[in-house]
Structure formats: structure tokens, C-alpha cells
Amino acid sequence: MPIASRLALALLLPALLVNLAVFLVPMGNLALLSFQQASAGGALLGGFTFATWAKMFGDVFYAELVLDSVTIALSITALTLLCAYPIALFIYRTPERWKNLLIVACVSPLLVSAVVRTYGWMVILGDGGLVASILRGLGMVKPPRMVFNTTGVVIGLVEILMPYMILALIAGFGRLNASLEEAAASLGARPFTVFRRIVVPLTLPGIMLGCLLAFVLAVSSFITPKLLGGGRVFLLATEIYDQAIVTLNWPVAAALSLVVLVIFGIALLLYGRLSRAIA
Amino acid sequence: MSDAHLVLEALEKRFGAGPPAVAALSLAVQKGELLGLLGPSGCGKTTTLRMIGGLAEATAGRILVAGHDVTTLPPHKRDMGIVFQNYALFPHMDVAGNVAFGLEMRKQSRAEIAAKVERALAMVHLDGLGHRRPRELSGGQQQRVALARALVIEPSILLLDEPLSNLDAKLREEMRTEIRDIQKRLGITTIFVTHDQVEALAMCDRIAVMRAGSLEQLGTPFDIYESPATPFVADFVGRINRLDGARDGDGDILAGPLRLRAAKPGPAGRVTVMMRPHRLHIATDAIGPEWNSAAGTIRRATYVGDVLACEVDCAGAMLTVERHTHPGQPIPREGEAVNLAWRVSDTLAFDA
């Protein structure tokens, strides 16, 4: 083996070992856990059984749980993209000296913990909150409920995920160039056509990266669905928590965790395929 | 001019406070003419082009195409083909897709588009490369695609923004003649922005020399080179010797130690005298009355193959003389005493 390759291997080794120790081994443990039996009180009884997995595939509740989680996460991703895209485009087109300031402004919500921000949304979206008061002031007799349901979870998570989406979008906008838009306009394209035929295709790398990030974060988010969902919105992450901490059914929690891992795997696979397709 | 195809009337562009980028620019371009906008960077030539194309808004003045006011028309309604300095090819489309884009915007039929794209690519000698991506092409090929894309829509006016500046010297000359040939064949009114005086002289029917947002001189390449209106034009277009002096009552010009006569008479006062280096000769014979002369010493001789340039110190006045080389003629030594001579008609004098 040439020296350069050996050196590369040596340099990679620490990272490999760390990954092995803190990711692969626990994941293996989780997989084993999902095949164990547990008593009603939560004690692990050992042994090897397909009972947990059989229950997962047999019970409609779990299928719905996965489907709901993925659907809600996808909606959140789409809404986050919709809200973040104009902002990212604006920042990308801002002269260099203002750009950094705007990026910092966009990222600054991350300085406040998601817990605090979620509580903030509960106040704003609550029955006596800002939004409901405004709607009442505008003459709406019975404003829609916006907390302790899916609506609240979606609103809260969209806001929380927007900084990540904006950063990913800006990072992926490198191919966008003002003269390309001007060229399209000079060839007779109206502003919306320029956007559809030039801007969107050229920003696809950013869109895909942002969507992957937002989707993964949405599926795995726990605090916001827990608080804004008020226990009425059942998602994978909250269910895993309930199974592990409340019901003390660790095999089910482990199996659900692996389901999440599979969902992430599929998302990554799709991302890779699409990235190659547009390159 | 009644048959002018493109008319600029007192066009002005201001960016915030300060002097305008383009000030009170008026031009009339004939149908089928290739007009060059020539000037140093920051002279407003590109801004002018962008205003004509609708990519920049004019702060005052009017732009007329075939008699119609297009000043406030957005670019997609102006029907102008633009070739950008960086070509601005769409990287996510292949060559044929790039060329077809403008035709698709005009809602032409598939068959029509395919036929026109093929013809346009053949015109720029890119037959068979329609399925390549822009990044797979050389700089010269990308330039051709940009040209084909701008021309295939049969625009009323073609705008070229320094289209050759990213090409190497040899390719630049090749593209120069090619663009000019196509432009002549199609008879398309063209505005060509460049900072390269050789390019402008070689390609344009007329040249508008710009300086600090204003028109300095408008004329044919011959006019611009032989009869520059100002020292700036004389200096910018081609190499030139420059001496400051004063004209006396007899019309003679005293520039340092030299007593000269100029092509055109003028009033007494301070003048700037300019002569092209290649119009100066190292004199061997006695000179006639139609000649100016100066005695001096060669300070430096630079041999670049086809041309020999000598800097001659004429009692304090430095003059550069250039001549074509010849194997029979030796290269002068530094320190050699020489007599310089040049025609009075080649001596340009500008009142200061």
C-alpha cells in the first residue's frame, strides 16, 4: 500500500473507532433489544422473540403512526421551504457587506433553546394568545384552535427549522447568477418564467439539501411535538419517548427507533439519487 | 436622421449621489450598422448597453427602436439579443436547450424550434454539439453558443458586452472576423461594447468613444484614429507621443526644445502635441518643408520581432519611434545620435 493511502487510513482510524463505539455498537444493541421480551413492569426478560416486530407489523396503530409522522414531517418540510426560500434568495442577492448581518439575524433564533421558543409559541397560539385575539378583533367569533393539535406542531416546527433551511438553501445557491436571469429575460422570459425555468432548477441542490435536513430534524424532533401537541399528536419521536420512559416497553421503543433509522436511510437514498440526477 | 434604427436621446444613468455613470448620451445607429462603444472601464459603456437592453433603468432620456419608445419596456419585451461577457449560458440545459430557450418563449412549434436551432448551430460551426452541456465546451465554443442563442430569436438589435475579452489572443482574432461576418450577413443592428481599441477598429462601422459617462467622439475607425477630437481619444486609441507646448502668433508650436508645425492651424496659446510613434522616422536624408524634425539620442531600443521601438531623448523631450523590422537593417545601439522626422500632417495639436 502506498504511504499516502496508509496515512489516510491512519488518519481515518480514530473517527472510525469513535463511530463504531458511539453509533454502530449502540445501534446493534438497539436491534438486539427489539428482539427481547419485557415484562409488564418493564423488566427485560432476555430471550429471543419476534413478538415485538410481529405486533408492529400487525397493529394498524403503528402503521398509522409511521404514516402520520412521515406526512406531518413532509408537510413541515414543504412549509419550511416555502417560508425560507424567499428569505434565502433575498439574502443571497444582498450585497456582501449586508449578507453576513442578515445571515446572523436569521440564525439568531437558534441562540434561544427550542423549549423556550416552543413555550413562546404556546403563548402566542393559545386560546387567549396574540393570534386568537387578533382574529377575534377582526370579527371571528370562534378562532380555530392552534395549540395541542397538529396545526400547533406544524407552526412551531416550521419556525424552529427555518434557520437550518435558510442556511442549507444559501449554501446550495452557488450556481445562481444574475446574468443568467438577465439572459433569460432578454430572450423573452417573463419574471415568473425566469423563476420557474432558471432560478428554481439552479437552486435545486440547495432545495434538496434543505429539505433533507428539515425532514430529518422534523421526524426526530421531540420537544415541540410533545409540548405543542399536548399529548394529542402522536409522532414517532414522542411515541418512542412514551414507550421508553412512561410505558417502560423498551423493545417497542427500540423497534420504533430502528423504524426511524430506516426512514432516514430512505430519505438519504432518495437525496443521493436525486442529487446525481440533477448534477 | 430619419432612418436611424436605434436612437438614444440624452440618456442618463445615476447610481445614487455623485456624478452620473452615463450623462446626456445621444446617439443614432443606422439599420444594419455595427457601432462600438469604446472606453476604459468605468466610462459607462456597459451601463449604456444595459440600458438599451432593459437590464438597467435610465434615470433620464429616451431610447427609441425603429421610432418606438422602449425606454420603460422590461427586457423580455424588447426583442434584443444579448451576448454577455461571461456568456451566461444556462448550465442546467444542453447547448440545444440554451439556443431553443428564446424560441420556446416565443411559443414556436417543436419542429420549427428544432429546425432553427440546427440552423443557428450550423451558422456558428457547432453542428452536432447540441447535446453537450456548456461546461463541456471550450471558451470559444461557449462564445459561439451564446451568439447562436442571441441570434436565433432574430432580434431587432444585437448587444455584445465585451464578448471576446475571455478568449485567448488567437481565438479572439478568429471570433472577431466571424462575428463581423455573421453580423454583416444578417444585416443586424449591433452595439458592441469593448475596452480594446484594436477590436473596435477592426470590427465596427462606427465607434463611440466614451469617457466618464459622456460621448467623447463618434466616428468611423479611420476618423477616430486619424482625426481624434481630443487628446483622450488620441491617447486611448493607439499608442501616441505627447508633448505639451505653446503656439506662438506665427502658428509655430514650441514644445520644450522643439519648434514644430501642426496639421491644422489654431490660435496662440497652450497646446498639446501628439504624434503616432509609427509615423515618426529615423531620418537619413535631408527633409522637405512638409516635415517636422528633431535631433536626439537613443535611450532604449526594444525589439519585438515585427516592430522595433526606440525611445529617443530630444534634448529633454522623450519621443518614441516605431518601425517595421527588416533583416537588412541593424538594431540601433543605445546612445546613438539620430535625427527624427515626421510629416506636419501627422502632427496633431489640441488647444489646452
Side-chain angles (χ1 to χ4, degrees):
Chain A
M1 209 193 306
I3 289 182
S5 315
R6 258 185 295 184
L7 185 67
L9 203 67
L11 288 171
L12 278 174
L13 210 57
L16 270 173
L17 288 176
V18 169
N19 250 326
L20 198 70
V22 306
F23 181 70
L24 289 178
V25 171
M27 276 299 156
N29 269 339
L30 220 49
L32 288 177
L33 203 57
S34 70
F35 291 103
Q36 286 196 27
Q37 277 181 309
S39 74
L44 290 170
L45 304 174
F48 188 86
T49 170
F50 287 101
T52 308
W53 287 102
K55 196 170 98 184
M56 302 225 64
F57 284 108
D59 194 334
V60 185
F61 171 79
Y62 291 107
E64 268 178 17
L65 182 70
V66 170
L67 203 66
D68 280 0
S69 295
V70 171
T71 314
I72 291 175
L74 284 176
S75 323
I76 289 167
T77 304
L79 281 172
T80 311
L81 178 66
L82 231 53
C83 296
Y85 193 88
I87 300 174
L89 205 56
F90 180 81
I91 293 177
Y92 186 75
R93 289 172 174 169
T94 304
E96 213 57 47
R97 62 201 202 101
W98 298 111
K99 211 184 231 170
N100 283 334
L101 192 73
L102 287 177
I103 290 177
V104 169
C106 276
V107 177
S108 60
L110 295 178
L111 298 175
V112 179
S113 115
V115 182
V116 176
R117 282 197 284 159
T118 302
Y119 273 113
W121 276 115
M122 288 170 76
V123 173
I124 292 171
L125 297 174
D127 290 342
L130 183 71
V131 179
S133 306
I134 290 173
L135 288 177
R136 264 189 224 105
L138 290 173
M140 194 180 274
V141 181
K142 198 171 177 298
R145 211 172 154 73
M146 283 165 294
V147 282
F148 308 136
N149 58 14
T150 313
T151 313
V153 175
V154 171
I155 292 175
L157 269 179
V158 165
E159 188 266 334
I160 283 165
L161 295 180
M162 268 175 65
Y164 301 102
M165 180 65 95
I166 291 171
L167 284 182
L169 285 174
I170 291 175
F173 278 5
R175 291 208 294 173
L176 201 58
N177 176 339
S179 70
L180 295 177
E181 294 174 57
E182 291 177 349
S186 78
L187 292 167
R190 304 150 174 282
F192 182 71
T193 311
V194 174
F195 180 74
R196 191 172 55 84
R197 296 276 317 259
I198 307 297
V199 177
V200 170
L202 289 177
T203 54
L204 267 184
I207 292 175
M208 292 199 316
L209 182 64
C211 286
L212 176 72
L213 208 66
F215 177 76
V216 167
L217 288 172
V219 169
S220 57
S221 70
F222 161 72
I223 294 162
T224 308
K226 185 87 189 160
L227 295 176
L228 273 169
R232 294 193 195 110
V233 179
F234 296 97
L235 294 177
L236 275 168
T238 51
E239 187 61 21
I240 291 169
Y241 176 85
D242 285 346
Q243 291 290 349
I245 306 297
V246 182
T247 327
L248 291 180
N249 193 339
W250 283 26
V252 170
L256 285 174
S257 302
L258 290 173
V259 169
V260 171
L261 196 68
V262 168
I263 292 173
F264 288 173
I266 294 170
L268 262 176
L269 213 68
L270 266 174
Y271 173 78
R273 280 276 168 83
L274 289 172
S275 294
R276 270 195 299 281
I278 63 155
Chain B
M1 277 176 271
S2 57
D3 56 343
H5 187 206
L6 170 69
V7 176
L8 309 183
E9 278 181 9
L11 204 59
E12 183 197 88
K13 178 68 181 179
R14 281 175 186 280
F15 296 104
V22 174
L25 181 68
S26 293
L27 274 177
V29 188
Q30 305 303 305
K31 178 120 191 82
E33 188 180 18
L34 197 164
L35 179 95
L37 293 178
L38 176 67
S41 60
C43 73
K45 56 191 192 299
T46 294
T47 306
T48 304
L49 188 92
R50 291 175 61 80
M51 283 193 284
I52 298 171
L55 305 176
E57 228 175 296
T59 36
R62 294 204 303 164
I63 301 165
L64 303 160
V65 176
H68 299 286
D69 191 336
V70 301
T71 317
T72 54
L73 225 51
H76 65 275
K77 291 183 180 158
R78 289 209 187 187
D79 191 30
M80 294 188 185
I82 307 180
V83 175
F84 293 82
Q85 186 171 7
N86 62 1
Y87 315 138
L89 298 178
F90 308 132
H92 57 299
M93 301 180 194
D94 61 12
V95 167
N98 267 278
V99 178
F101 188 85
L103 301 172
E104 286 166 17
M105 294 303 118
R106 282 160 178 73
K107 308 254 185 289
Q108 300 190 351
S109 76
R110 250 163 208 274
E112 208 176 340
I113 290 175
K116 282 186 180 176
V117 167
E118 198 172 325
R119 270 206 305 279
L121 289 178
M123 177 179 71
V124 295
H125 309 299
L126 287 178
D127 327 52
L129 294 184
H131 296 294
R132 294 270 187 91
R133 286 295 176 105
R135 63 163 181 271
E136 297 166 340
L137 301 178
S138 70
Q141 289 173 324
Q142 291 185 24
Q143 159 83 82
R144 287 160 202 264
V145 176
L147 192 64
R149 185 178 69 176
L151 287 172
V152 77
I153 58 171
E154 293 164 34
S156 66
I157 289 170
L158 178 64
L159 304 174
L160 306 170
D161 185 9
E162 306 242 7
L164 306 176
S165 59
N166 286 345
L167 302 177
D168 60 56
K170 212 161 191 153
L171 200 54
R172 196 150 54 208
E173 266 178 53
E174 203 181 299
M175 285 307 293
R176 211 151 73 188
T177 38
E178 194 165 329
I179 290 177
R180 179 57 162 158
D181 283 350
I182 292 173
Q183 184 268 335
K184 267 191 174 161
R185 202 162 67 233
L186 301 179
I188 183 168
T189 310
T190 305
I191 306 292
F192 177 80
V193 161
T194 181
H195 64 269
D196 183 334
Q197 36 107 2
V198 179
E199 233 166 74
L201 292 172
M203 290 175 70
C204 300
D205 291 311
R206 284 191 303 159
I207 298 172
V209 182
M210 292 184 69
R211 177 195 191 184
S214 300
L215 187 61
E216 192 85 355
Q217 185 175 5
L218 176 66
T220 61
F222 187 82
D223 290 341
I224 297 281
Y225 191 80
E226 294 296 343
S227 324
T230 64
F232 173 81
V233 175
D235 195 28
F236 191 75
V237 182
R239 294 176 300 282
I240 204 142
N241 285 301
R242 177 186 182 131
L243 296 173
D244 289 317
R247 181 154 33 206
D248 62 19
D250 302 331
D252 283 357
I253 294 165
L254 293 164
L258 308 177
R259 174 176 281 273
L260 308 169
R261 278 179 303 136
K264 291 190 186 110
R270 299 188 58 78
V271 290
T272 300
V273 189
M274 296 179 122
M275 292 88 63
R276 303 274 178 208
H278 70 279
R279 300 280 166 87
L280 267 55
H281 305 277
I282 294 175
T284 46
D285 306 325
I287 52 164
E290 290 310 304
W291 293 72
N292 284 314
S293 67
T297 316
I298 292 179
R299 284 277 171 258
R300 184 183 304 161
T302 311
Y303 172 80
V304 290
D306 56 343
V307 171
L308 174 74
C310 298
E311 283 173 45
V312 180
D313 182 354
C314 303
M318 290 300 285
L319 292 176
T320 302
V321 49
E322 284 176 8
R323 67 164 167 81
H324 286 288
T325 54
H326 188 275
Q329 278 178 316
I331 296 169
R333 287 185 317 275
E334 288 172 22
E336 199 174 312
V338 289
N339 281 314
L340 297 182
W342 63 95
R343 285 174 198 281
V344 169
S345 58
D346 286 330
T347 311
L348 306 167
F350 301 94
D351 297 319

mmCIF file of all heavy atoms in Angstrom, chain A residues 33 121 123 144 168 181 202 242 252:
data_model
loop_
_atom_site.group_PDB
_atom_site.id
_atom_site.type_symbol
_atom_site.label_atom_id
_atom_site.label_comp_id
_atom_site.label_asym_id
_atom_site.label_seq_id
_atom_site.Cartn_x
_atom_site.Cartn_y
_atom_site.Cartn_z
ATOM 1 N N LEU A 33 -32.187 -5.418 21.384
ATOM 2 C CA LEU A 33 -33.216 -5.080 22.355
ATOM 3 C C LEU A 33 -34.611 -5.325 21.792
ATOM 4 O O LEU A 33 -35.517 -5.790 22.499
ATOM 5 C CB LEU A 33 -33.056 -3.594 22.727
ATOM 6 C CG LEU A 33 -33.615 -3.131 24.070
ATOM 7 C CD1 LEU A 33 -33.001 -3.954 25.199
ATOM 8 C CD2 LEU A 33 -33.323 -1.662 24.274
ATOM 9 N N TRP A 121 -44.425 29.939 21.463
ATOM 10 C CA TRP A 121 -45.494 29.657 20.508
ATOM 11 C C TRP A 121 -46.784 29.277 21.224
ATOM 12 O O TRP A 121 -47.881 29.613 20.780
ATOM 13 C CB TRP A 121 -45.078 28.543 19.540
ATOM 14 C CG TRP A 121 -44.272 29.070 18.386
ATOM 15 C CD1 TRP A 121 -42.975 28.805 18.105
ATOM 16 C CD2 TRP A 121 -44.728 29.962 17.386
ATOM 17 N NE1 TRP A 121 -42.576 29.480 16.983
ATOM 18 C CE2 TRP A 121 -43.628 30.202 16.518
ATOM 19 C CE3 TRP A 121 -45.940 30.619 17.124
ATOM 20 C CZ2 TRP A 121 -43.725 31.054 15.414
ATOM 21 C CZ3 TRP A 121 -46.035 31.449 16.025
ATOM 22 C CH2 TRP A 121 -44.933 31.668 15.191
ATOM 23 N N VAL A 123 -47.821 30.441 23.994
ATOM 24 C CA VAL A 123 -48.445 31.686 24.446
ATOM 25 C C VAL A 123 -49.095 32.413 23.269
ATOM 26 O O VAL A 123 -50.231 32.864 23.343
ATOM 27 C CB VAL A 123 -47.383 32.597 25.116
ATOM 28 C CG1 VAL A 123 -47.973 33.970 25.429
ATOM 29 C CG2 VAL A 123 -46.846 31.935 26.379
ATOM 30 N N PRO A 144 -59.948 29.347 15.176
ATOM 31 C CA PRO A 144 -59.584 27.921 15.205
ATOM 32 C C PRO A 144 -58.562 27.646 16.305
ATOM 33 O O PRO A 144 -57.787 28.532 16.680
ATOM 34 C CB PRO A 144 -58.978 27.699 13.815
ATOM 35 C CG PRO A 144 -58.515 29.051 13.381
ATOM 36 C CD PRO A 144 -59.477 30.028 13.982
ATOM 37 N N ALA A 168 -29.024 26.023 4.621
ATOM 38 C CA ALA A 168 -28.804 24.996 3.596
ATOM 39 C C ALA A 168 -29.095 25.546 2.200
ATOM 40 O O ALA A 168 -28.359 25.271 1.254
ATOM 41 C CB ALA A 168 -29.692 23.782 3.877
ATOM 42 N N GLU A 181 -30.214 35.138 -15.192
ATOM 43 C CA GLU A 181 -31.591 35.625 -15.161
ATOM 44 C C GLU A 181 -31.778 36.722 -16.199
ATOM 45 O O GLU A 181 -32.810 36.786 -16.876
ATOM 46 C CB GLU A 181 -31.935 36.144 -13.762
ATOM 47 C CG GLU A 181 -31.933 35.033 -12.711
ATOM 48 C CD GLU A 181 -32.135 35.578 -11.315
ATOM 49 O OE1 GLU A 181 -33.150 36.250 -11.094
ATOM 50 O OE2 GLU A 181 -31.280 35.344 -10.447
ATOM 51 N N LEU A 202 -31.701 25.950 -10.891
ATOM 52 C CA LEU A 202 -30.331 26.212 -10.463
ATOM 53 C C LEU A 202 -30.188 26.142 -8.947
ATOM 54 O O LEU A 202 -29.095 25.957 -8.433
ATOM 55 C CB LEU A 202 -29.860 27.575 -10.974
ATOM 56 C CG LEU A 202 -29.610 27.644 -12.477
ATOM 57 C CD1 LEU A 202 -29.220 29.046 -12.897
ATOM 58 C CD2 LEU A 202 -28.526 26.661 -12.879
ATOM 59 N N ASP A 242 -42.515 7.934 25.013
ATOM 60 C CA ASP A 242 -43.554 7.364 25.870
ATOM 61 C C ASP A 242 -43.297 5.889 26.146
ATOM 62 O O ASP A 242 -43.425 5.411 27.285
ATOM 63 C CB ASP A 242 -44.936 7.529 25.219
ATOM 64 C CG ASP A 242 -45.429 8.965 25.323
ATOM 65 O OD1 ASP A 242 -44.824 9.730 26.113
ATOM 66 O OD2 ASP A 242 -46.371 9.334 24.605
ATOM 67 N N VAL A 252 -40.319 -2.209 22.266
ATOM 68 C CA VAL A 252 -41.107 -1.435 21.301
ATOM 69 C C VAL A 252 -40.382 -0.131 20.968
ATOM 70 O O VAL A 252 -40.264 0.257 19.797
ATOM 71 C CB VAL A 252 -42.520 -1.134 21.848
ATOM 72 C CG1 VAL A 252 -43.238 -0.119 20.951
ATOM 73 C CG2 VAL A 252 -43.328 -2.418 21.932
#
